[in-house]
């Protein structure tokens, strides 16, 4: 009798504990940065409904398939902790190129059911392979020189391509993209750097020369305009030739400086100019 009672109480306690465990395990929680799908371990089925952070009563045998709501990263580089090595490809002109790339993506919450149906929660590896494929392919569309001079354009094209493919196959958007390093054969890199330095030097020298030329021409032009005005003014006022010469002195000094003439040179220049330009009947040669 007492043994029977003991067995009865024992099974009651076991039963109560079992029920408590069942109830307890029917509650499932999601962290702040998680979003979940209701999964039944008994029927192996998933609901389309989404659950956000907090504690939810899902029912016996149910649990959450969890996805992050924060941006996720893929990194392909030589660095430690990267998901895969650098992306190796060939340029349009056939050179080997090695690219260090990272990008950030965000799962489209409304498509999580489809994502789960597609990959059963194991999307990380297949999506990485898809990304590497696309990046390798985009790299072949650009010449080696473009990797030097058009990096932004290539970065943009790569992001656009991965974003498009991810929307279709990985139910995610690629919001940030970094083309961190570009490694071309050393021989090519040295050659192109030398060419570029030379190109810049030539460009600089040409710009300098053009600037000097313009300055010189402007100075001469200003001086000529000034002297003509002075002659005209002086003639109108009936001033003497000497006075005109005196007024011209200032502008002539500018010409002298601009052309780098010595004093005797300037006098020669002036004589020639006067003989050439001044009406003969008004001329008095009065210069030593
Ligand atoms: C989870 O899905 C099951 C059906 O699979 C459903 O009976 C249950 O109510 C769902 N849980 C919630 C919290 O909606
Ligand atoms: C990525 O694709 C989505 C559509 O799937 C679009 O709304 C978004 O603007 C794209 N982002 C970039 C950076 O191309």
């Amino acid at each position: 009798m007492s043994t029977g009672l003991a067995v009865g109480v024992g099974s009651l306690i076991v039963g109560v504990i079992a029920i408590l465990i069942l109830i307890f395990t029917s509650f499932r929680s999601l962290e702040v940065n998680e979003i979940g799908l209701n999964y039944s371990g008994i029927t192996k089925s998933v609901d389309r409904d989404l659950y956000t952070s907090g504690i939810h009563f899902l029912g016996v045998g149910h649990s959450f398939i969890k996805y992050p709501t924060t941006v996720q990263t893929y990194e392909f580089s030589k660095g430690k902790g990267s998901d895969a090595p650098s992306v190796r490809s060939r340029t349009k002109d056939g050179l080997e190129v090695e690219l260090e790339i990272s990008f950030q993506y965000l799962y489209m919450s409304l498509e999580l059911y489809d994502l789960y149906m597609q990959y059963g929660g194991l999307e990380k590896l297949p999506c990485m392979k898809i990304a590497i494929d696309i990046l390798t392919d985009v790299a072949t569309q650009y010449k080696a020189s473009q990797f030097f001079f058009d990096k932004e354009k290539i970065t943009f094209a790569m992001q656009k391509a991965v974003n498009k493919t991810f929307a279709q196959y990985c139910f995610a958007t690629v919001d940030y993209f970094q083309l961190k390093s570009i490694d071309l054969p050393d021989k090519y890199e040295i050659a192109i750097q030398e060419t570029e330095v030379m190109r810049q030097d030539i460009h600089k020298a040409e710009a300098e020369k053009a600037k000097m030329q313009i300055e010189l021409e402007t100075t001469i032009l200003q001086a000529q305009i000034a002297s003509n005005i002075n002659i005209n003014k002086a003639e109108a006022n009936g001033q003497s030739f000497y006075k005109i010469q005196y007024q011209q002195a200032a502008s002539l000094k500018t010409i002298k400086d601009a052309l780098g003439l010595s004093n005797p040179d300037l006098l020669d220049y002036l004589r020639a100019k006067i003989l050439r330009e001044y009406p003969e009947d008004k001329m008095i040669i009065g210069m030593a």
Side-chain angles (χ1 to χ4, degrees):
M1 171 73 186
S2 69
T3 9
L5 186 66
V7 167
V9 169
S11 29
L12 186 68
I13 290 170
V14 167
V16 167
I17 289 173
I19 288 168
L20 281 177
I21 287 174
L22 282 180
I23 292 174
F24 185 74
T25 55
S26 295
F27 286 98
R28 296 290 171 145
S29 71
L30 288 169
E31 305 280 319
V32 175
N33 295 327
E34 288 176 337
I35 196 161
L37 294 167
N38 174 7
Y39 171 78
S40 164
I42 299 160
T43 62
K44 311 279 182 211
S45 63
V46 179
D47 271 9
R48 273 191 174 271
D49 300 335
L50 286 175
Y51 298 87
T52 52
S53 68
I55 295 169
H56 301 273
F57 183 82
L58 281 186
V60 176
H62 284 254
S63 61
F64 278 124
I65 306 287
K66 297 176 182 178
Y67 286 98
T69 58
T70 49
V71 285
Q72 303 295 301
T73 296
Y74 276 121
E75 182 176 331
F76 311 135
S77 74
K78 294 179 205 132
K80 261 194 237 163
S82 79
D83 298 286
S86 316
V87 176
R88 285 168 171 277
S89 186
R90 264 182 198 278
T91 63
K92 195 175 183 179
D93 39 358
L95 291 175
E96 273 179 38
V97 65
E98 210 178 303
L99 307 167
E100 287 192 303
I101 291 171
S102 60
F103 64 86
Q104 288 71 40
Y105 62 99
L106 200 58
Y107 288 119
M108 301 166 166
S109 52
L110 297 178
E111 317 279 340
L112 286 181
Y113 177 80
D114 296 312
L115 179 67
Y116 183 77
M117 284 301 157
Q118 187 83 19
Y119 300 103
L122 301 172
E123 62 284 331
K124 184 92 188 175
L125 193 64
C127 286
M128 183 180 92
K129 287 187 173 157
I130 287 171
I132 292 173
D133 253 21
I134 288 294
L135 293 168
T136 309
D137 187 55
V138 173
T140 62
Q141 294 164 20
Y142 295 92
K143 289 194 217 157
S145 60
Q146 287 177 291
F147 280 92
F148 266 91
F149 304 121
D150 263 343
K151 187 181 157 190
E152 267 177 36
K153 186 174 161 189
I154 296 172
T155 305
F156 184 73
M158 286 183 163
Q159 175 170 9
K160 209 174 146 202
V162 180
N163 188 39
K164 194 173 163 215
T165 312
F166 262 37
Q168 199 178 346
Y169 296 102
C170 297
F171 309 98
T173 55
V174 176
D175 300 305
Y176 306 97
F177 190 97
Q178 303 86 37
L179 179 48
K180 291 169 148 181
S181 80
I182 297 163
D183 198 10
L184 287 154
D186 288 349
K187 246 183 171 172
Y188 179 80
E189 287 197 7
I190 291 165
I192 203 156
Q193 270 160 12
E194 278 170 358
T195 313
E196 177 61 3
V197 167
M198 232 182 316
R199 207 175 60 88
Q200 280 173 0
D201 281 354
I202 290 169
H203 186 70
K204 224 163 99 185
E206 275 173 354
E208 199 75 8
K209 201 177 134 198
K211 191 173 155 237
M212 275 170 61
Q213 189 70 31
I214 288 167
E215 276 172 6
L216 184 67
E217 281 166 6
T218 309
T219 312
I220 291 171
L221 193 66
Q222 279 169 350
Q224 282 172 346
I225 290 169
S227 63
N228 284 339
I229 288 170
N230 285 342
I231 288 177
N232 293 341
K233 264 196 207 153
E235 282 178 335
N237 298 338
Q239 286 171 318
S240 71
F241 177 69
Y242 294 105
K243 189 93 179 265
I244 296 167
Q245 289 305 315
Y246 179 76
Q247 284 172 340
Q248 282 184 348
S251 56
L252 287 171
K253 181 171 185 310
T254 327
I255 293 176
K256 176 177 175 272
D257 293 343
L259 298 175
L261 299 173
S262 65
N263 280 331
D265 286 342
L266 179 67
L267 286 176
D268 285 342
Y269 168 80
L270 269 181
R271 258 196 216 96
K273 185 173 153 67
I274 290 163
L275 288 170
R276 202 170 62 239
E277 289 177 4
Y278 212 74
E280 263 174 46
D281 54 347
K282 291 185 191 168
M283 181 123 77
I284 316 159
I285 302 279
M287 303 175 73

